[in-house]
Amino acid sequence: MHDKLYIDGKWVAPLKGGKADVINPATEEVIQQIATATEEDVDLAVKAARRAFDKDGWPKLSGAERAKYLRAIASGIRTNQAGIARLEVLDNGKPFPEADWDIADAAGCFDFYAGLAEEFDTKSAETIVLSDSRFTARAVKEPMGVVGAIVPWNYPLLMASWKVAPALAAGCTVVLKPAELTSLTALELADIADKAGLPAGVLNVLTGAGSVAGQAIVEHPLVDKLAFTGSGPVGSRIMTEAARDIKRISLELGGKSPLVVFNDADVEQAVEWIMFGIFWNQGQVCSATSRVLVQDGVYDKVLACLVEETKKITIGNGLDDGILLGPLVSERQYSNVVRDIEKAKAAGASIACGGKRPDGFGKGYYLEPTILTDVPLDSEAWNEEIFGPVVCIRSFSTEEEAIALANDSRFGLAAAVMSTDHERAERVAAAFRAGIVWINCSQPTFTEAPWGGYKQSGIGRELGRWGFENYLETKQITRFVSEEPWGWYIKPKVGA
Ligand code: NAD
């Protein structure tokens, strides 16, 4: 199954494509091969999704009926939660407890959207009060159609679930392409959906290169909507391509999110959240709070505590007990992050700790958690996403300065503020130009709450009811109810 494509309810070999190695980032060993789909496979998958949408009746099922399949998928994920989490660790490198958390969250996502699918049966139409009593109208929500879902490697099953669950709940059919580095749990999802009896063509999973399979999904004229999570440059390209056919899009892109610590914050808690904001998932998190701004009264204390605690982080194979930081996802990602650290140093930054491969690791893409100080405001390190366990920290004096520094970015995904002054925290939260704001924490993410960015961090929102809306069109149905004829061209006969 892991070296096949899942198209139209069947496991098939790619028509023309070959295979690609899957590498365990902790050991650099090849653990599996996956199929590499080409445009011919994409065409089959999109046409299967089209049939399932247009002819086979998936959108015509009631929400309650679709919910049964979603709940069965959630249950299938939970039944093998530990096994899927282990696969995620082998594929992505993250510590097992993090993977376990992700897989539980993915199951919860299917359950949550099952609930919204059930509600949809009674809430999909809304009466509109018109200014002209000769007409009545209602607005009806309907599924968008065939969705091309393209996801990254940092939360493989979870990012797929954030798209597949609401899309299926809304009545859409899906062609999913996981990242080439981490495809295994998306294939598990296809297997679980298959065993749950999901009708053929409703979910198709194609592995392969972004530039081939991904591009073919983006360009396919029978795809109605593109749901993408990944890098800014690819997102921008997808937006341009989508414009040709006026495809609907939602984009979840990168960030360089600030975390602001005020003098009145609890220092130990602030350090805990700084660490959680940048070292969880090896810092390969779109919403990572990678720019830390600390008020000058507590800067030295926060930095000292952060360095001390960071040095205690246990690094190793994510399958071993007690590991808090695994390897980066690939050799390429490791080299990119090391290159970014070198560039930061060349720009004048200092390393307070980390910055190199940890001692004693012969194999695996391991990197010490890294704290950069004196990072120039105009440097790449301060402004661009590093996507690794690397945090930049600097001091500020006033609230006004902190807000200006925090918002001085082309990104606007997330922002965090740490303060015991409730009014100040709310003031700063309101001033942040970001789609997700955390007060006295960083990163907690809930299926019920909207997720997405301002500015160049994306378009649209995932999760919650906002994520459901992503897959719905709005139709207006207006009825002429007057007893009197309209009488514009054909005048009513006098006395008739
Ligand atoms: P990426 O853009 O390289 O790849 C993402 C997906 O797009 C992969 O499946 C890839 O195969 C595919 N792809 C690549 N080129 C394509 C093309 N030309 N046409 C269609 N598909 C193509 O990103 P990545 O390196 O996998 O992920 C890291 C990036 O994702 C980071 O920038 C991160 O911030 C972002 N991200 C954002 C969020 C969010 O919610 N905002 C979540 C996770 C990751």
Side-chain angles (χ1 to χ4, degrees):
M1 166 192 110
H2 284 147
D3 63 354
K4 298 270 190 321
L5 308 172
Y6 185 69
I7 299 177
D8 206 10
K10 293 181 220 49
W11 291 101
V12 295
L15 289 174
K16 289 193 175 158
K19 300 225 168 112
D21 289 342
V22 177
I23 292 168
N24 177 350
T27 61
E28 302 181 30
E29 283 163 6
V30 175
I31 51 166
Q32 180 66 47
Q33 286 204 310
I34 51 163
T36 51
T38 60
E39 66 179 283
E40 288 79 4
D41 307 300
V42 168
D43 189 51
L44 287 180
V46 172
K47 285 180 175 154
R50 197 73 261 170
R51 270 194 308 279
F53 187 82
D54 293 334
K55 300 204 174 88
D56 298 346
W58 179 253
K60 295 192 185 73
L61 292 183
S62 68
E65 284 169 303
R66 286 198 296 271
K68 283 186 201 153
Y69 291 102
L70 270 84
R71 290 199 198 285
I73 294 173
S75 155
I77 294 172
R78 286 200 187 95
T79 303
N80 189 20
Q81 185 174 319
I84 302 172
R86 188 170 180 278
L87 204 57
E88 202 82 296
V89 177
L90 291 170
D91 213 3
N92 165 284
K94 62 178 71 194
F96 181 84
E98 293 189 22
D100 198 44
W101 178 301
D102 293 355
I103 306 308
D105 238 13
C109 185
F110 278 93
D111 270 340
F112 175 79
Y113 284 106
L116 288 201
E118 285 159 348
E119 278 182 20
F120 192 59
D121 285 337
T122 52
K123 289 196 181 156
S124 61
E126 184 188 330
T127 302
I128 303 164
V129 178
L130 299 174
S131 52
D132 186 333
S133 63
R134 291 172 297 173
F135 300 88
T136 61
R138 62 190 196 276
V140 181
K141 298 277 185 187
E142 294 185 342
M144 259 175 196
V146 172
V147 173
I150 300 176
V151 295
W153 44 257
N154 57 348
Y155 290 92
L157 184 67
L158 194 56
M159 290 297 107
S161 303
W162 283 18
K163 292 174 172 44
V164 173
L168 297 189
C172 294
T173 56
V174 178
V175 176
L176 167 69
K177 198 204 82 64
E180 44 273 64
L181 289 173
T182 57
S183 297
L184 301 181
T185 52
L187 294 165
E188 290 290 323
L189 178 64
D191 185 46
I192 289 166
D194 190 74
K195 290 184 172 132
L198 195 73
V202 171
L203 172 66
N204 305 271
V205 179
L206 290 137
T207 52
S211 56
V212 181
Q215 185 74 19
I217 294 172
V218 170
E219 289 176 355
H220 203 295
L222 298 181
V223 171
D224 299 294
K225 148 102 193 185
L226 295 166
F228 173 77
T229 297
S231 61
V234 176
S236 165
R237 190 173 171 157
I238 287 177
M239 196 166 170
T240 307
E241 297 276 355
R244 202 180 39 227
D245 305 327
I246 321 288
K247 288 190 176 86
R248 281 86 183 102
I249 52 166
S250 48
L251 304 175
E252 300 288 349
L253 309 175
K256 189 77 187 179
S257 300
L259 182 153
V260 179
V261 183
F262 283 96
N263 285 340
D264 57 28
D266 176 323
V267 168
E268 201 172 290
Q269 280 308 301
V271 168
E272 165 73 12
W273 289 112
I274 292 171
M275 293 172 73
F276 198 74
I278 190 64
F279 299 139
W280 170 263
N281 209 27
Q282 293 66 246
Q284 301 163 135
V285 182
C286 52
S287 57
T289 33
S290 50
R291 284 187 297 143
V292 172
L293 296 155
V294 185
Q295 203 163 16
D296 35 24
V298 284
Y299 179 81
D300 290 342
K301 213 167 153 188
V302 167
L303 180 59
C305 180
L306 179 62
V307 169
E308 187 187 331
E309 294 301 327
T310 298
K311 285 182 175 164
K312 293 181 196 163
I313 289 177
T314 45
I315 306 172
N317 188 323
L319 289 178
D320 294 341
D321 282 344
I323 295 302
L324 287 169
L325 195 93
L328 298 183
V329 74
S330 66
E331 184 174 16
R332 183 159 158 235
Q333 189 63 13
Y334 173 84
S335 311
N336 287 347
V337 176
V338 169
R339 178 205 59 203
D340 288 348
I341 294 172
E342 291 309 316
K343 276 195 196 169
K345 285 199 299 199
S350 311
I351 294 194
C353 80
K356 61 176 179 57
R357 197 180 166 77
D359 296 334
F361 285 83
K363 289 269 182 199
Y365 311 124
Y366 294 98
L367 182 70
E368 286 178 345
T370 302
I371 301 167
L372 298 177
T373 58
D374 312 312
V375 184
L377 287 177
D378 61 356
S379 66
E380 255 185 65
W382 185 258
N383 293 290
E384 300 300 327
E385 190 176 49
I386 294 180
F387 225 56
V390 182
V391 66
C392 302
I393 181 165
R394 68 181 294 125
S395 66
F396 69 89
S397 305
T398 64
E399 184 179 314
E400 203 181 17
E401 186 192 356
I403 292 167
L405 282 167
N407 285 339
D408 185 17
S409 171
R410 67 189 171 89
F411 298 112
L413 185 55
V417 54
M418 311 290 303
S419 170
T420 51
D421 177 341
H422 177 71
E423 279 178 26
R424 186 212 294 274
E426 288 295 334
R427 217 169 36 237
V428 173
F432 282 144
R433 296 277 301 149
I436 304 147
V437 172
W438 289 294
I439 297 177
N440 290 334
C441 59
S442 174
Q443 307 307 315
T445 302
F446 300 94
T447 312
E448 303 79 13
W451 183 271
Y454 282 22
K455 303 193 255 182
Q456 292 184 28
S457 289
I459 290 187
R461 293 292 177 274
E462 295 200 285
L463 297 182
R465 64 179 169 77
W466 301 267
F468 194 54
E469 295 278 333
N470 252 336
Y471 300 99
L472 296 171
E473 293 278 17
T474 304
K475 179 186 275 177
Q476 175 207 145
I477 301 180
T478 296
R479 180 190 288 257
F480 182 61
V481 292
S482 171
E483 298 283 306
E484 299 295 319
W486 184 237
W488 191 276
Y489 290 103
I490 304 175
K491 303 292 176 202
K493 294 191 178 67
V494 180

